[in-house]
Amino acid sequence: MDIATIIGILLAFGALFGMIEMEHVELGGLFLPAPILLVFGATIGAGIASTTLKDALSAFKSAPKAFTGKVTPPQTVIDDVVGLAETARSNGLLALEQEADKHDDPFMKKALQNIADGTDGDELRILLEDEIESNAAPMRSASSFFMGLGGFAPTVGIIGTVVSLTHVLANLGKPDELGPLIASAFVATLWGLLTANFLWLPIGGKLRKLAQLESDRQTLLMEGLLAVQAGSQPRLLGERLTAMVPPGARGDSGKGAKAKAGADDQQLAA
């Protein structure tokens, strides 16, 4: 579980409440039911209206992943592929069918099953590339939905402020009440900006990042398994896959994996 979203949102709200405390702002004046209802209700309503109901419901179901989404380290993928390459080199490609039953990842299962069935490498690449694109589509759609909410919320907040200001103008004959009324009028704008930048945009951005990371993982896995099908040597395959990963994301276990692969190669050669 990557807690970056939780830490970031808590830090943002913490900074806000720190400012409120330092400025001695009365919290009761910020938590007004009417502006909050307008901002949340109208923003979500506009977001639903901008897409299909199915996509909107799917987006809300995907929202928890922004807080609990798991990121598989690239080195884990590389180690798995190198292990499969060693199995294929020792026992043949048909042995990968048994390896498929040991993994819970549907993408890997499909790839290994097709390799064991003798699917042509070019056809398998097309199949897996289409699978990667299809798998990423729902998360990208959810990301776009929440990014859209981030665009609607500030405007909805301004609408709420304009509505409240009409009430202010209707009470110009009551100077003692103008101050509180004007302050309340801008609460809608505050909530529009706050929800957009503290909730909707971070959630949308995190879902987009998770979709990209999963696509990268599956692409790395695809390239590795296609190389296994082509008979690539495990040690060289590990080095090739490691080179496909940005240096900062490689981790420290790469050297151990390479050493293990090299030792296994020497054992097989003997």
Side-chain angles (χ1 to χ4, degrees):
M1 174 177 162
D2 183 11
I3 61 173
T5 304
I6 297 176
I7 292 176
I9 291 179
L10 289 178
L11 181 60
F13 276 100
L16 173 64
F17 283 107
M19 175 186 174
I20 290 174
E21 183 66 23
M22 293 174 68
E23 294 288 339
H24 304 290
V25 177
E26 184 180 351
L27 281 176
L30 301 179
F31 290 91
L32 300 179
I36 294 176
L37 175 64
L38 172 68
V39 169
F40 276 95
T43 298
I44 294 174
I48 294 175
S50 68
T51 185
T52 64
L53 182 60
K54 180 179 179 180
D55 286 344
L57 293 176
S58 178
F60 283 115
K61 291 179 181 179
S62 299
K65 295 180 181 179
F67 302 92
T68 62
K70 297 180 180 180
V71 179
T72 302
Q75 190 58 50
T76 300
V77 177
I78 295 173
D79 292 342
D80 288 342
V81 173
V82 170
L84 292 170
E86 294 167 354
T87 300
R89 194 176 186 191
S90 302
N91 305 319
L93 293 177
L94 289 176
L96 297 180
E97 186 173 7
Q98 297 178 350
E99 293 294 326
D101 297 332
K102 300 178 182 179
H103 294 275
D104 297 328
D105 182 6
F107 182 81
M108 179 177 282
K109 281 179 175 290
K110 177 177 290 188
L112 291 176
Q113 187 62 55
N114 276 276
I115 292 174
D117 291 343
T119 304
D120 178 74
D122 292 336
E123 292 181 359
L124 181 57
R125 176 179 290 276
I126 294 174
L127 172 64
L128 295 180
E129 286 177 347
D130 291 342
E131 186 78 11
I132 292 172
E133 186 63 28
S134 297
N135 290 340
M139 192 74 81
R140 289 174 181 167
S141 176
S143 171
S144 297
F145 177 79
F146 285 105
M147 297 296 281
L149 294 187
F152 288 127
T155 304
V156 171
I158 293 174
I159 292 174
T161 296
V162 171
V163 172
S164 296
L165 286 176
T166 59
H167 180 60
V168 172
L169 295 175
N171 290 274
L172 290 178
K174 303 176 181 178
D176 295 339
E177 299 180 8
L178 289 182
L181 288 175
I182 293 175
S184 299
F186 285 98
V187 171
T189 297
L190 169 65
W191 278 97
L193 294 171
L194 188 150
T195 55
N197 293 282
F198 286 13
L199 289 178
W200 309 133
L201 292 179
I203 291 175
K206 184 58 173 288
L207 292 177
R208 180 175 58 190
K209 181 63 176 179
L210 290 175
Q212 182 60 51
L213 290 174
E214 180 62 14
S215 293
D216 292 344
R217 183 192 73 85
Q218 293 182 351
T219 299
L220 186 66
L221 186 58
M222 176 189 70
E223 294 295 341
L225 293 178
L226 289 174
V228 171
Q229 184 186 40
S232 180
Q233 197 251 17
R235 181 180 61 82
L236 294 178
L237 175 57
E239 293 178 353
R240 175 191 169 193
L241 295 179
T242 300
M244 294 175 60
V245 179
R250 292 177 185 176
D252 298 328
S253 58
K255 294 181 180 179
K258 293 178 184 177
K260 180 180 181 299
D264 291 340
D265 291 341
Q266 292 177 0
Q267 183 179 3
L268 289 172

